[in-house]
Amino acid sequence: MKTWLLCALLSCCTLSAAHGQYKGNGYWHRERVVDHGDTITMIHILPVYVFSRKVDLRRYQKLVEAVRKVYPVAQAARAKMDEMEAELTRLPTKKAQRAYIRDVYAQIKEEYSPVLKKMTRTQGRVLLKLIDRETEYTAYQILREFRGGFVAGFWQGVSRIFGQNLKSQYDKEGEDRMIEQIVVYYEAGLL
């Protein structure tokens, strides 16, 4: 009798501890489908990455942290670019447009320089990819459009020295599919 009581107590403690470690519901969303009068619950399960090496898990965690940090910056870049394009079409002369671009450049530099200086190379690479995802323009194209070809070429050269590429494009089905999945999770509030 004591053995059974001890086993029951131990299993209850184990189940409550296992339940306490579980974070989230483990599925993307749930829907109910009626098929020939029967209600069927369909649960769309989240994909799970399985890493065979710890270094791959650390890289994934590093990528998740990078997306968490830089995705709001990429969204702000999209909003600022939409605002700039609307304002530039409203301005009558090239001189007024250049003055507006200089003012916006100074505002962006003042606001985001401290954030960008503290970024790692991985975060910088992810930021370049996410800017292309959000704005549909590479960072090089944005620089060339708003600051000129010489400035864009100069910064492309500097970025190549440090192992980055301002002309890198976002490929959500190819090499950037893991970033895309992390962004989807971030937007859904799962990260």
Side-chain angles (χ1 to χ4, degrees):
M1 184 67 166
K2 289 180 185 179
T3 308
W4 285 104
L5 185 60
L6 183 62
C7 287
L9 183 63
L10 185 61
S11 65
C12 287
C13 291
T14 305
L15 288 175
S16 66
H19 183 69
Q21 292 175 354
Y22 180 65
K23 296 178 183 174
N25 50 17
Y27 57 88
W28 184 255
H29 69 280
R30 182 178 9 184
E31 61 184 276
R32 290 188 170 80
V33 178
V34 178
D35 184 29
H36 302 294
D38 292 333
T39 303
I40 302 169
T41 301
M42 295 182 65
I43 299 175
H44 299 272
I45 299 173
L46 295 171
V48 176
Y49 283 112
V50 177
F51 299 103
S52 60
R53 301 178 316 167
K54 286 187 179 186
V55 70
D56 295 333
L57 176 62
R58 283 194 300 269
R59 282 188 190 137
Y60 179 76
Q61 290 170 338
K62 190 175 183 181
L63 193 60
V64 168
E65 288 304 315
V67 169
R68 260 191 211 156
K69 183 171 183 177
V70 302
Y71 189 63
V73 176
Q75 287 178 320
R78 181 189 65 209
K80 184 62 88 172
M81 192 158 166
D82 291 344
E83 177 187 318
M84 280 182 63
E85 287 176 350
E87 185 66 24
L88 287 174
T89 57
R90 192 186 64 76
L91 293 174
T93 64
K94 288 277 189 188
K95 185 176 181 181
Q97 290 175 350
R98 282 193 301 267
Y100 175 72
I101 289 172
R102 276 193 302 272
D103 290 343
V104 169
Y105 174 74
Q107 291 172 359
I108 291 172
K109 187 174 180 180
E110 181 181 326
E111 185 177 351
Y112 289 105
S113 286
V115 175
L116 296 176
K117 285 181 181 179
K118 293 180 182 177
M119 283 189 183
T120 64
R121 287 185 185 185
T122 302
Q123 291 169 348
R125 182 181 55 83
V126 171
L127 178 63
L128 291 176
K129 296 283 189 168
L130 290 178
I131 284 176
D132 183 36
R133 177 187 187 270
E134 292 296 313
T135 64
E136 298 178 1
Y137 296 106
T138 63
Y140 180 82
Q141 291 170 330
I142 294 170
L143 275 172
R144 191 181 69 216
E145 181 69 29
F146 293 115
R147 299 282 293 157
F150 179 76
V151 173
F154 171 77
W155 286 112
Q156 172 65 8
V158 170
S159 69
R160 295 302 290 172
I161 290 171
F162 290 104
Q164 304 296 333
N165 186 3
L166 296 180
K167 295 180 182 179
S168 63
Q169 295 181 335
Y170 188 76
D171 181 18
K172 71 178 183 178
E173 275 88 33
E175 67 180 19
D176 299 323
R177 77 174 164 261
M178 197 173 285
I179 294 174
E180 179 68 22
Q181 182 185 15
I182 295 168
V183 168
V184 168
Y185 286 167
Y186 181 85
E187 288 175 341
L190 296 172
L191 291 179

